[in-house]
Amino acid sequence: MMAARTDIRRYTGFGALTALCLTVLYVPLIVVAVYSFNASRSITAWAGFSMRWYVDVFTGPEAPIFRAAAWNSISIAFLASTVATVIAVAAAVAIIRGGRFRGRQSSLAVITLPLMVPEIVIAVATLIFFTTIGVRTGYGTILIAHITFCIPFAYLPISARLQGIEDSYEMAARDLYATRWQAFRLVLLPLMMPGVISGWLLAFIISLDDFLITNFVKGAGMETLPTAIFSSVKQGIKPNIMAISTLMLAVSIVFVTLSFLINRIGQKTRLSKGEGQ
Amino acid sequence: MRFVQPEIPKNRGSLPQEAVGIRRVVKRYGNVEALKGVSLSIADNEFFTLLGPSGCGKTTLLRTIAGFEDVTEGEIALFGSDIADLPPERRPVNTVFQQYALFPHMSVLDNVAFGLRMKGVAPAERQARAAEMLEMVHLSDFADRLPSQLSGGQQQRVALARALAPRPRVLLLDEPLSALDLKLRQAMRVELKQLQESTAITFVFVTHDQEEALAMSDRIAVMSAGEVQQVGDPRTIYEAPVNRFVADFIGETNVLPVTVSEISAGRANVVLAGCRGLIAEAPEGLAPGVHHISIRPERLSLAEGGEADLTARVERVVYLGTDLQLLARLPDGTGLTVRLQNSARTSLPCQGEEIGLLIEEGAARLLVD
Amino acid sequence: MATGPGSSGAGWRGLVLPLLLPSWLVIGIFLLVPVALMAVYSFLTKDFRGGVIWQFSLDAYDQFFVERGLFGDEPPRPNWTYITIFWRSIWQAGLATLLCLVIGFPTAWFIATRSPRYRTLWVCLITIPYWVNLLIRTVSMRFLLRDQGPLNEALMAIGLIDSPLRIINTNLAVQIGLFYSYLPFMVLPIYAAVERYNFALSEAARDLYAGPWTVLREIVLPTVRPGIVAGCILVFVPSLGAFLAPDLLGGARTYMIGSLIDEQFRGSAGNWPFGSAVAMILLTMVLIVLLWQARVAMREKR
């Protein structure tokens, strides 16, 4: 009890609320994961452990749809995140290393714009745009839309990382006769790499997970994983949906953890100021 | 008519009252003991300093008095009553923090009035008292400013006013001058001392700067590694250090290995290389054998003709403006530093010369290891 | 910050234009232009086949604000239908934000006051659900709350209730859904603010006779307020235009802006100009909130 009195960081009940918060966050996911192993057809009664629904996802009647959807999702995510990351790296170098130039603030605003506009507004606007210029909705339109809104997500970790790197390294390289490009490729880029990878992973997940915008601009006859899951759910929650959901859950967690670990490794190679109190 | 100023004694009554009593306080963090059984008695209306290098436990001790840390073992008493169970907001003790911790979203006046507000003083009265405190630290013009608009020295005075406004019985100061530049620090030393004398509040001051401690304190407790090494007034601490740590930490000193051959009636015969024969005060419990003595460099002087107590060979003479520093060596190779005041003298010792030195009476202190 | 706007730029200055061109182009063409186009569409005429006719008309906004009866021949009066939907969305978003704040603030505080070694672990724990697909999270919430879902089954099994609680299709379900979707957005900014908080301020306040809850109210909250405001906006704005939570967890009675807009673009029953108009109104509201917050932030910086 003495600790509670004198510890100025401690408030009664906050720990309990945190536990509640974590419970609320994880219980639905855990429940879905658990029920995805339910042997029974009925998604309510528990009838024993089984992998049948996972098998069903890959070989059952709907498997072709899911496979196509998965291919679409993954390939679009891969392409979109790569392109977005390249664009974001260029923009980050310009904004953070370019000194004070006119339009710096507005460039920053433009890059973070997709984060400020509500997703449904982006979805509607994008659909209108492609319809007006006569482009048929499908894979290409989805890809373009994804690249656009992935840029800020790739940008944030990259810029954070870049801000922590002193420009003395590049200056030393230039002093030793390296061209700008060489200095970038051999000195700055390697140092930035944890941020770049982290940004890529983030963009990948955002693209993979996107539903609203994709749903609007995909047109008929094409599905990504989220849109396929959504249509299926609208007809009622079936056990194989839970299996897919659990799979996507696992993928997300793996990617986030990777992104996180890479960031941590990156931090260790940097000269940090040390944790003060 | 002759007007006589009565001399008000510092402490009324026959015995000074004990303001803060620290008895065998131990503070453990897991396996680490930050305080290893500290006992101190701080008197009312005293300027008491905790002095030591960083990590010695002085700030920890201060925080246990304030109530931000609890004691693992031992007791803390405030004017006789045990306060170990009281949370910080119930102790009539206030703290001036090292980085001031002024509330950034409140004006200077509101900062100073905060403690009064928490104690339930009515708005009118607390505004008045806060204004009075600001007047005392010469910052009345800044009452409506925000802390971020003040300089470091001004912030420090606001922190002081804020801690004094609720009229605590004991004021704790955690290295309050360390963030100030030199000139400001020296000015603040005088101001703080005057403040303590005029308010008659017990000040417990923490610092690692020994010059500060000597200049301001009534008494000093020198601490190291969680233990109190010596408690005493500045003069005693400087001139009669009890052990090597205190001798080394305060000012400059020569620590010389000696042999104690004989002890009688509290005085010891000390055998030192190059020395004719030395008698020093023997601390209690000292047995003959190998020990160390401490002699302050300024307590040695050149023997002008006549007999010398000590002979040494000069290795280097360093001109320091106000002083001359002689780096010498005793016959057995031990290094010796001598400080001479730079006054007109007939001859400066030169490098390589053998000189005779006089040791001031009582300057050689036997150290307990 | 190692390099700021004032640095010489290590020679990148000249390349700024080509480096920024891709991002300006992509976002300019595929975001700014579409939004502008959408604004234009809101002033066009609806095509009965489902698209638009390029003819200026105020029909869309008229339909939103004015009620003229089924055949358009009654005297105009204010149309409360859509305004009610907006109001309900604001209300839902507001409640969700409040819920996130009440649970999110203590959580953020708790995590930020753990020892540094474990702090990142806690942050990880809170962040991971955010990265799981929002659709899947909403689906799992729906699964959990269904009449025959695990929650009801559990409650019945331990005897707290006799018949299933009807939660799906209610406002409560939508609020829970929104709260669940955006909770990490509330926790993380507050966490960042508390991490930077100078705890010596709390000590000083306690030293000056304030009790722990007084310290929270008087000292902590004003100081971390920017983080709280950021968190609230990060929850409120997406909640306002949310689609998934109301669609999957709610029903006819909980119709919100997101569903309203979505409906306008489905097949030939859709009304593109009207949908664009509603989207424009939503966008305007969001921009107002963001601008207000930017002004407050700038005023505080002074």
Side-chain angles (χ1 to χ4, degrees):
Chain A
M1 266 304 102
M2 285 174 85
R5 228 193 10 256
T6 55
D7 189 353
I8 41 115
R9 290 154 196 255
R10 209 186 133 108
Y11 284 96
T12 40
F14 278 23
L17 280 172
T18 307
L20 175 65
C21 177
L22 285 174
T23 313
V24 167
L25 283 179
Y26 281 94
V27 160
L29 304 176
I30 296 176
V31 166
V32 162
V34 164
Y35 269 83
S36 70
F37 293 106
N38 187 359
S40 148
R41 274 230 76 168
S42 145
I43 48 172
T44 48
W46 178 259
F49 185 90
S50 156
M51 296 277 292
R52 64 184 281 204
W53 302 115
Y54 287 90
V55 173
D56 181 271
V57 165
F58 290 106
T59 60
E62 291 174 307
I65 305 177
F66 288 135
R67 214 170 324 160
W71 166 249
N72 289 331
S73 279
I74 294 177
S75 60
I76 289 178
F78 189 87
L79 290 171
S81 53
T82 308
V83 174
T85 304
V86 170
I87 297 179
V89 168
V93 171
I95 291 181
I96 296 174
R97 282 282 197 269
R100 206 175 301 178
F101 59 90
R102 221 164 45 122
R104 183 176 181 272
Q105 287 291 70
S106 36
S107 295
L108 200 51
V110 161
I111 292 195
T112 47
L113 205 55
L115 296 176
M116 316 257 204
V117 180
E119 221 191 329
I120 192 150
V121 172
I122 301 183
V124 166
T126 315
L127 174 63
I128 290 178
F129 175 75
F130 285 126
T131 315
T132 313
I133 64 175
V135 172
R136 219 167 49 118
T137 49
Y139 193 94
T141 55
I142 301 179
L143 184 58
I144 291 177
H146 279 221
I147 292 175
T148 311
F149 69 71
C150 279
I151 291 179
F153 286 98
Y155 179 83
L156 289 173
I158 294 176
S159 110
R161 175 75 182 160
L162 189 52
Q163 280 179 351
I165 301 178
E166 296 178 12
D167 57 2
S168 44
Y169 300 114
E170 294 157 80
M171 293 206 273
R174 306 278 308 277
D175 181 72
L176 293 163
Y177 317 110
T179 64
R180 248 187 321 209
W181 170 246
Q182 283 172 322
F184 173 75
R185 194 167 50 94
L186 300 171
V187 175
L188 188 56
L189 193 56
L191 285 174
M192 275 171 71
M193 206 37 94
V196 172
I197 297 182
S198 185
W200 188 90
L201 288 169
L202 224 60
F204 188 90
I205 300 177
I206 291 291
S207 165
L208 196 69
D209 284 351
D210 180 70
F211 167 72
L212 203 48
I213 298 180
T214 314
N215 202 27
F216 262 77
V217 301
K218 71 176 174 70
M222 197 194 131
E223 301 289 331
T224 60
L225 270 180
T227 62
I229 294 177
F230 183 77
S231 322
S232 188
V233 167
K234 277 302 213 184
Q235 298 160 24
I237 299 187
K238 299 199 290 283
N240 59 357
I241 289 297
M242 300 209 272
I244 288 202
S245 302
T246 313
L247 282 173
M248 283 199 77
L249 205 155
V251 168
S252 293
I253 294 183
V254 165
F255 269 75
V256 172
T257 317
L258 266 179
S259 170
F260 204 75
L261 285 175
I262 291 180
N263 248 328
R264 282 282 291 280
I265 297 176
Q267 265 174 11
K268 289 206 183 104
T269 60
R270 197 178 8 164
L271 289 164
S272 48
K273 272 188 284 182
E275 191 95 50
Q277 260 276 353
Chain B
M1 182 169 74
R2 264 187 7 150
F3 191 79
V4 178
Q5 275 280 32
E7 227 239 314
I8 301 173
K10 216 160 194 265
N11 299 303
R12 305 254 175 106
S14 48
L15 273 171
Q17 199 186 3
E18 181 189 76
V20 182
I22 300 166
R23 309 195 218 298
R24 293 175 303 277
V25 162
V26 175
K27 175 68 187 173
R28 243 176 257 127
Y29 294 102
N31 288 337
V32 179
E33 269 194 339
L35 296 172
K36 300 177 185 161
V38 172
S39 293
L40 285 175
S41 178
I42 303 175
D44 188 24
N45 199 0
E46 178 175 31
F47 197 117
F48 192 91
T49 298
L50 301 174
L51 174 67
S54 47
C56 69
K58 54 193 193 293
T59 301
T60 310
L61 187 59
L62 201 74
R63 285 167 66 86
T64 54
I65 303 175
F68 301 121
E69 308 275 357
D70 28 67
V71 297
T72 319
E73 286 169 35
E75 291 155 19
I76 302 198
L78 198 69
F79 290 97
S81 20
D82 188 359
I83 55 170
D85 282 331
L86 291 180
E89 63 268 20
R90 301 248 291 278
R91 304 189 187 195
V93 166
N94 291 137
T95 310
V96 179
F97 290 78
Q98 190 172 7
Q99 320 239 274
Y100 318 137
L102 298 179
F103 307 130
H105 58 292
M106 294 186 195
S107 69
V108 162
L109 190 70
D110 286 338
N111 261 281
V112 174
F114 187 80
L116 300 170
R117 190 168 130 213
M118 289 302 118
K119 290 185 97 167
V121 174
E125 195 196 328
R126 65 170 187 253
Q127 296 274 56
R129 289 242 298 255
E132 197 184 303
M133 300 305 324
L134 280 179
E135 177 75 49
M136 191 174 74
V137 295
H138 314 300
L139 282 176
S140 305
D141 292 335
F142 294 80
D144 292 321
R145 304 255 186 111
L146 290 179
S148 54
Q149 298 171 297
L150 269 53
S151 72
Q154 292 166 333
Q155 287 181 6
Q156 201 255 6
R157 304 218 295 275
V158 174
L160 204 50
R162 183 178 72 174
L164 285 172
R167 305 215 186 115
R169 306 203 67 182
V170 176
L171 186 68
L172 308 175
L173 302 103
D174 186 2
E175 305 208 47
L177 306 183
S178 58
L180 304 176
D181 59 58
L182 184 62
K183 272 239 164 338
L184 203 47
R185 226 184 304 154
Q186 288 172 338
M188 280 308 296
R189 280 186 207 165
V190 179
E191 268 194 53
L192 276 178
K193 182 70 178 170
Q194 285 174 344
L195 204 58
Q196 192 273 323
E197 285 171 357
S198 59
T199 57
I201 297 177
T202 310
F203 273 33
V204 181
F205 190 85
V206 163
T207 183
H208 62 270
D209 182 337
Q210 37 111 347
E211 193 181 307
E212 220 164 70
L214 292 175
M216 301 166 81
S217 326
D218 292 326
R219 281 196 306 153
I220 305 175
V222 181
M223 291 181 69
S224 159
E227 289 175 316
V228 175
Q229 304 294 322
Q230 185 173 359
V231 182
D233 66 283
R235 185 154 192 178
T236 312
I237 297 272
Y238 185 78
E239 299 192 2
V242 300
N243 62 23
R244 186 163 188 166
F245 178 81
V246 179
D248 260 336
F249 190 76
I250 317 270
E252 225 188 314
T253 193
N254 292 296
V255 175
L256 309 169
V258 299
T259 316
V260 173
S261 56
E262 185 185 321
I263 304 179
S264 70
R267 308 197 52 80
N269 275 351
V270 175
V271 177
L272 167 66
C275 180
R276 211 160 39 102
L278 193 58
I279 310 259
E281 201 178 299
E284 230 180 87
L286 193 77
V290 175
H291 292 290
H292 290 89
I293 54 167
S294 150
I295 307 183
R296 298 276 179 202
E298 67 273 12
R299 297 282 196 254
L300 295 165
S301 52
L302 285 178
E304 312 274 349
E307 300 224 335
D309 294 324
L310 194 60
T311 47
R313 185 174 299 278
V314 174
E315 281 192 339
R316 189 186 283 273
V317 178
V318 183
Y319 178 78
L320 292 173
T322 50
D323 304 337
L324 281 173
Q325 194 183 42
L326 299 180
L327 304 174
R329 232 167 249 291
L330 295 175
D332 70 346
T334 318
L336 186 75
T337 309
V338 183
R339 266 200 193 236
L340 305 171
Q341 227 185 14
N342 188 16
S343 54
R345 48 182 66 252
T346 46
S347 55
L348 271 178
C350 15
Q351 209 168 356
E353 186 184 326
E354 212 175 80
I355 51 170
L357 298 164
L358 293 172
I359 307 177
E360 204 177 290
E361 177 78 45
R365 314 291 315 180
L366 265 170
L367 301 175
V368 175
D369 289 311
Chain C
M1 198 160 59
T3 49
S7 72
S8 70
W12 286 106
R13 202 183 186 103
L15 280 182
V16 157
L17 192 58
L19 285 175
L20 285 174
L21 203 57
S23 35
W24 273 92
L25 274 180
V26 169
I27 296 182
I29 299 181
F30 298 112
L31 183 60
L32 289 172
V33 167
V35 171
L37 208 48
M38 183 181 81
V40 168
Y41 261 57
S42 66
F43 289 105
L44 296 181
T45 316
K46 161 183 152 78
D47 186 339
F48 68 90
R49 286 166 303 183
V52 290
I53 302 174
W54 280 82
Q55 185 189 348
F56 180 85
S57 143
L58 283 173
D59 278 349
Y61 290 98
D62 184 272
Q63 179 180 353
F64 188 90
F65 289 109
V66 182
E67 174 70 66
R68 292 178 196 273
L70 203 53
F71 298 103
D73 54 355
E74 292 173 21
R77 7 175 238 291
N79 186 352
W80 297 114
T81 322
Y82 302 112
I83 298 191
T84 313
I85 296 179
F86 262 74
W87 176 244
R88 185 189 302 130
S89 302
I90 295 177
W91 185 240
Q92 295 274 48
L95 276 177
T97 307
L98 196 61
L99 198 54
C100 279
L101 187 59
V102 165
I103 298 204
F105 180 85
T107 307
W109 176 274
F110 184 83
I111 299 179
T113 53
R114 295 308 95 200
S115 69
R117 240 180 358 137
Y118 293 120
R119 210 177 290 168
T120 30
L121 182 65
W122 284 98
V123 173
C124 240
L125 277 182
I126 292 284
T127 330
I128 285 180
Y130 161 63
W131 293 117
V132 173
N133 195 329
L134 180 60
L135 172 66
I136 293 182
R137 275 193 288 143
T138 315
V139 166
S140 47
M141 191 48 103
R142 170 165 163 157
F143 175 66
L144 188 67
L145 296 175
R146 289 160 78 245
D147 289 351
Q148 309 101 336
L151 180 67
N152 274 318
E153 300 232 325
L155 288 177
M156 284 202 287
I158 57 178
L160 264 180
I161 52 173
D162 292 319
S163 59
L165 290 175
R166 166 130 295 179
I167 305 184
I168 300 290
N169 279 351
T170 63
N171 280 322
L172 177 65
V174 174
Q175 271 150 35
I176 295 179
L178 290 175
F179 158 75
Y180 185 57
S181 308
Y182 302 115
L183 181 61
F185 288 178
M186 175 68 77
V187 173
L188 290 175
I190 299 183
Y191 164 80
V194 173
E195 237 219 327
R196 285 194 305 261
Y197 174 71
N198 179 10
F199 283 94
L201 293 177
S202 286
E203 284 191 350
R206 296 281 295 269
D207 184 75
L208 293 162
Y209 316 109
W213 296 99
T214 312
V215 172
L216 183 67
R217 204 182 58 233
E218 295 277 338
I219 310 293
V220 176
L221 286 181
T223 313
V224 302
R225 199 164 51 127
I228 296 180
V229 169
C232 285
I233 293 198
L234 283 176
V235 172
F236 185 78
V237 166
S239 298
L240 204 54
F243 173 73
L244 279 175
D247 191 76
L248 288 178
L249 296 170
R253 271 178 298 151
T254 64
Y255 208 59
M256 280 173 65
I257 299 178
S259 310
L260 176 63
I261 298 179
D262 178 79
E263 195 190 312
Q264 305 312 316
F265 292 90
R266 301 260 147 251
S268 54
N271 185 339
W272 284 38
F274 182 62
S276 307
V278 178
M280 282 305 296
I281 298 177
L282 174 65
L283 183 61
T284 314
M285 283 172 54
V286 167
L287 283 178
I288 291 177
V289 171
L290 289 177
L291 279 173
W292 169 80
Q293 189 237 1
R295 254 194 44 193
V296 168
M298 238 187 302
R299 237 186 305 136
E300 280 190 6
K301 259 202 189 117
R302 254 196 302 109

